[in-house]
Amino acid sequence: MTTAREIMTADATCVRASETVVDAARKMVELDVGALPICGPDERLKGMLTDRDIVVKVVARGKDPSQCTAGELAQGEIVTVGADDDVSEVLRVMSEHKIRRVPVIDGHILVGIIAQADIARTLSDDKVGDLVGEVSEKT
């Protein structure tokens, strides 16, 4: 049984809910990532912030990214998997929620992120293709 912990990228860096969108964007550039988990002062996951969120929810709406916080963009259900969940559960969650990245938690602490690239490096081409098809399918 392969677990989420075995395939995740373990060095997930949070953007604090209180940090500005500009700070988050700079962190994305520095880390060469397209998404960051949003964490509160209690270290609990509050959501995910993507580069697309910054463009669609801030820039395109004329908001000032130096005044808007990451926490303001943390909306909706927080979708996660447990560190000891089987990879089949990871695939189910990503497919069901049509997400390309899923935070991995141990208790309530963020311990990593699984992206489609992590799936591609680990699983068979058939499973990767199924996931990409499910996530990319329009609803």
Side-chain angles (χ1 to χ4, degrees):
M1 171 177 98
T2 303
T3 65
R5 188 183 311 273
E6 293 173 287
I7 65 169
M8 71 184 188
T9 299
D11 58 349
T13 300
C14 281
V15 60
R16 299 286 165 215
S18 59
E19 289 184 86
T20 69
V21 172
V22 170
D23 295 330
R26 286 181 180 140
K27 198 174 280 194
M28 286 179 183
V29 169
E30 177 185 310
L31 298 169
D32 193 28
V33 297
L36 290 170
I38 303 168
C39 295
D42 57 359
E43 297 302 318
R44 288 183 186 266
L45 187 64
K46 303 295 183 199
M48 289 289 288
L49 178 64
T50 67
D51 47 9
R52 185 174 194 283
D53 291 332
I54 293 171
V55 171
V56 173
K57 296 177 181 177
V58 180
V59 177
R61 293 187 180 161
K63 292 183 180 179
D64 183 350
S66 66
Q67 298 299 312
C68 182
T69 66
E72 292 174 48
L73 301 179
Q75 301 172 341
E77 176 187 10
I78 302 170
V79 177
T80 64
V81 294
D84 297 317
D85 285 354
D86 184 74
V87 73
S88 63
E89 175 65 4
V90 173
L91 292 173
R92 186 195 68 74
V93 167
M94 291 176 81
S95 294
E96 181 179 311
H97 295 278
K98 298 193 179 308
I99 54 177
R100 290 172 170 76
R101 306 165 189 93
V102 64
V104 181
I105 59 170
D106 191 352
H108 73 274
I109 304 295
L110 177 74
V111 294
I113 292 182
I114 297 175
Q116 282 182 335
D118 298 310
I119 299 292
R121 281 191 291 271
T122 312
L123 301 180
S124 70
D125 289 348
D126 289 344
K127 289 188 181 197
V128 173
D130 290 345
L131 175 64
V132 170
E134 287 286 328
V135 167
S136 300
E137 183 179 275
K138 301 225 184 225
T139 54

